[in-house]
Amino acid sequence: DRMKESRVYLRALFDYTPYEDKATPCQEAGLPFKRRDILQVVSQDDATWWQAKRVGDCSLRAALIPSTQFQERSADTGEEAPSPTTRKDRQEPKTPDANQADFRIYEEVTQYLPRPGDRPRLIVLIGSVGARISELKQQLIAENPRRYGLAVPHTTRARKCHEREGIEYHFITRAAFESDIHNGKFIEYGEYKDNLYGTSLESIHKVLSQNKVCLMDVQPEVLKTLRTAEFKPFIIFVKPHVTESQKKHGSSSSLGFMITEEDLQEMKSSAERMDECYGHWVDYILVKEDPASALAELQLVLDRVQLEPQWVPASWLR
Ligand code: 5GP
């Protein structure tokens, strides 16, 4: 029985570099991996070191990865890890939330392809500064109005002159928004630059009832709430392409607007922050060079979500 191979697939939620890990029994035996890599665990016989392969890396033999239990203990404050070497040298998965329940180690995943008749997966976009995702979203819908729809969010911010009530947003007062929160209308909401934004369950159902794929863009903090079996969100992180030449010349038209050195710095650090804090939940990273190629790439990715199996948390299908 001990010889039986397990067929567990894990998504890595942290980067692992065996050569920097003094606790690895033999550093050449370790499997280096990055966040978002999918690992096939072939043996969990040992409580401390599992044997795994990286999916998509068929040439490789199984190598060692730290077990969840080991990684949890090493990242923890107290207990000694079951290793002869000192636990001070262990790499800790980064936990900006400092939330014990939030330790990012692995997530068990399985492949999922919606069958005909299944509800299409919710498409969630997050964007760092300069990504202009609402533009991208509107273009996608404009090109494929029968296929994609927008879960129209509610907001308390003032309507801009090109915006239409019920198209970009439902514009409501803060009092109305707060009462909607109280009545549980929103599946998610958040505050951004002193304004409230939120998506109601009703606005998602409205799109789904028209047999369309539902798009939404949110602040990344709410991803956690949206990642449920009910919506099976496919999460796309859009970030602007920042090149050295743009930095040197200080301006660029490739993104469709003028940029200063300061803007570029802000774009870069915003993308880094977002990746650091939320990258482990992201299914696809879209680097936006110019609006047209970003739209084409988005369309390709969304086709794949409907045609090819994607890795999702195993808990969604149980
Ligand atoms: P804007 O005011 O420029 O239209 O949107 C600003 C930001 O508000 C967006 O980039 C996005 O982060 C956030 N936002 C827009 N819609 C929603 C929503 O439905 N829910 C949440 N939580 N944030 C939203």
Side-chain angles (χ1 to χ4, degrees), residues 195-260:
N195 290 302
L196 292 166
Y197 295 83
T199 309
S200 67
L201 192 59
E202 197 185 321
S203 68
I204 294 179
H205 283 310
K206 191 162 170 213
V207 178
L208 294 174
S209 70
Q210 297 165 339
N211 280 317
K212 293 181 186 174
V213 175
C214 181
L215 304 176
M216 59 193 289
D217 74 291
V218 297
Q219 292 156 261
E221 301 88 80
V222 303
L223 289 180
K224 204 174 176 172
T225 329
L226 287 176
R227 282 184 98 240
T228 62
E230 185 185 5
F231 297 115
K232 298 189 176 62
F234 184 86
I235 299 168
I236 302 175
F237 171 23
V238 184
K239 61 178 177 188
H241 181 64
V242 179
T243 64
E244 286 308 309
S245 76
Q246 280 172 352
K247 289 178 94 170
K248 282 198 201 91
H249 303 304
S251 74
S252 163
S253 57
S254 76
L255 291 166
F257 51 102
M258 292 290 285
I259 329 171
T260 66

Side-chain angles (χ1 to χ4, degrees), residues 153 157 160 163 169 188-190 192 197-199 217-219 222:
R157 86 152 159 72
K160 294 175 187 161
E163 291 175 333
Y169 290 103
E188 64 82 23
Y189 65 90
Y192 177 79
Y197 295 83
T199 309
D217 74 291
V218 297
Q219 292 156 261
V222 303

Side-chain angles (χ1 to χ4, degrees), residues 4 14 37 91 102-103 111 119 151-152 160 170 176 188 203 214 231 235 240 249 269 277:
K4 214 168 70 191
F14 66 107
D37 280 351
Q91 293 178 334
D102 231 28
F103 269 153
Q111 290 205 302
R119 170 196 276 190
V152 180
K160 294 175 187 161
H170 296 291
E188 64 82 23
S203 68
C214 181
F231 297 115
I235 299 168
H249 303 304
S269 56
C277 298

